[in-house]
Amino acid sequence: MARLRIGSRGSQLALWQAHHISDLLRQRGHEIELEIIKTTGDKITDVALAKVGTKGMFTKEIEEALADGRVDLAVHSLKDLPTELPPGFELVAVTTRVNPRDVFLSVKYDCLDALPKGAKVGTSSLRRQAQLKAFRPDLEVYPLRGNVDTRVRKLENDEYDAIILAAAGLTRLGKTEHIREFLDEEFMCPAAGQGALGIEIREGDVAMRKHLEFLNDADSRAATVCERALLNKLGGGCQVPIGAFAEVKDGVIHLRGVVARPDGTEVLREHRTGSDPVALGEEVGDTLLQRGATKILEEVYGETASAPQQP
């Protein structure tokens, strides 16, 4: 079989994901090499993601390695991958999705409702911050950067009363001991693509496509294509207060979309069903824009919205 070179970020979670795909490929007889690539997002660790605002901040350097032929495929957290790939690349597979929900972690409190007024909650995401503040405007929300280990350690060191993270990363790394509550998607709508891995190759690489197509999960792909179509319609990336969550049930796609002001004072939610993932995503995106999302997002993109303050 072929010798395949995988490009990946160097974080503990990214390496888990790359090794997971490597193991699946080795089971098919392939020889695997792994190249660790440092991305822009990895180099900027002291600024809230919302303040950086660079599309492709976790993927650009890996795509450069793909284009140069240094690697044959890239393994991404799908939520980090821009909705429109640069020319010359294609998304060959979306893996079977694990739980896409966000979770509440705390050492001292059993659930979000139990947090006292003024409690300090950590998150690097405007999406999480906005939905959290809408539900609990009395909480103090502060930025939380770093890999999963770093974020959990900051919680254990009492820098925060609670933090909000994706269930998927914690589950993959076995860091679930502080999870107190899985947050319902009707309250905390996840990021588009959360919980799924995206496998990227050079466009038109037929041999590579054949090697990797077994990794694609049809339902996960349909759901995430729908979510990414909504995100693309809104012109958003992973640093803006947009949530998108789709599920395929009995062949029907159920999509929830959210756009919110970062301070939580306005939250627009839409829920629709359909069969065409792109059409459904664009329809929900259009509806949100018509209901006022345009103004909210213009303020965010114009940097007039307040990102979390440093503690």
Side-chain angles (χ1 to χ4, degrees), residues 123-195:
T123 175
S124 61
S125 160
L126 281 184
R127 172 188 60 81
R128 292 180 183 134
Q129 172 191 316
Q131 294 179 91
L132 186 62
K133 293 288 279 185
F135 179 66
R136 288 288 305 271
D138 59 303
L139 298 175
E140 298 295 330
V141 182
Y142 292 100
L144 177 66
R145 289 294 311 275
N147 59 34
V148 172
D149 260 354
T150 300
R151 298 183 195 199
V152 172
R153 189 163 56 249
K154 288 179 178 179
L155 174 68
E156 292 172 338
N157 290 342
D158 206 28
E159 294 180 41
Y160 300 88
D161 295 304
I163 61 176
I164 310 292
L165 295 177
L170 292 161
T171 302
R172 284 170 173 148
L173 294 176
K175 303 285 184 183
T176 59
E177 63 269 28
H178 298 307
I179 293 177
R180 298 291 178 256
E181 186 178 12
F182 283 77
L183 301 175
D184 192 280
E185 69 275 7
E186 292 182 28
F187 151 61
M188 181 65 74
C189 189
Q194 190 158 297

Side-chain angles (χ1 to χ4, degrees), residues 60 93 126 183 214 236 239 244-245 248 267 279 286 293:
K60 179 176 176 287
L126 281 184
L183 301 175
F214 78 97
Q239 294 87 40
F245 176 62
V248 180
V267 180
D286 270 332

Side-chain angles (χ1 to χ4, degrees), residues 35-96:
E35 180 165 340
I36 297 172
I37 299 165
K38 197 161 190 175
T39 68
T40 301
D42 297 316
K43 297 168 188 173
I44 304 171
T45 59
D46 58 347
V47 181
L49 289 176
K51 289 291 190 184
V52 180
T54 304
K55 282 191 177 181
M57 62 188 297
F58 292 114
T59 59
K60 179 176 176 287
E61 288 81 1
I62 299 175
E63 288 174 336
E64 288 171 353
L66 258 181
D68 293 344
R70 288 186 282 128
V71 299
D72 302 304
L73 65 142
V75 178
H76 303 288
S77 291
L78 188 57
K79 71 175 183 177
D80 292 337
L81 196 62
T83 53
E84 291 185 345
L85 300 185
F89 304 100
E90 64 177 274
L91 186 62
V92 70
V94 174
T95 64
T96 302

Side-chain angles (χ1 to χ4, degrees), residues 167-276:
L170 292 161
T171 302
R172 284 170 173 148
L173 294 176
K175 303 285 184 183
T176 59
E177 63 269 28
H178 298 307
I179 293 177
R180 298 291 178 256
E181 186 178 12
F182 283 77
L183 301 175
D184 192 280
E185 69 275 7
E186 292 182 28
F187 151 61
M188 181 65 74
C189 189
Q194 190 158 297
L197 305 182
I199 313 301
E200 187 180 20
I201 63 172
R202 288 180 292 274
E203 190 173 29
D205 190 339
V206 177
M208 200 58 53
R209 193 184 299 142
K210 287 180 179 177
H211 290 320
L212 302 174
E213 59 189 6
F214 78 97
L215 294 167
N216 192 64
D217 179 84
D219 282 354
S220 296
R221 180 138 197 167
T224 56
V225 163
C226 186
E227 294 166 4
R228 286 164 63 80
L230 184 155
L231 189 62
N232 191 53
K233 190 70 179 180
L234 296 173
C238 63
Q239 294 87 40
V240 293
I242 298 171
F245 176 62
E247 289 182 293
V248 180
K249 299 177 182 178
D250 299 323
V252 177
I253 305 170
H254 298 250
L255 174 64
R256 294 184 184 278
V258 170
V259 177
R261 291 191 181 280
D263 63 3
T265 56
E266 184 178 7
V267 180
L268 305 176
R269 298 184 185 272
E270 277 292 326
H271 176 247
R272 300 278 179 88
T273 60
S275 57
D276 182 314

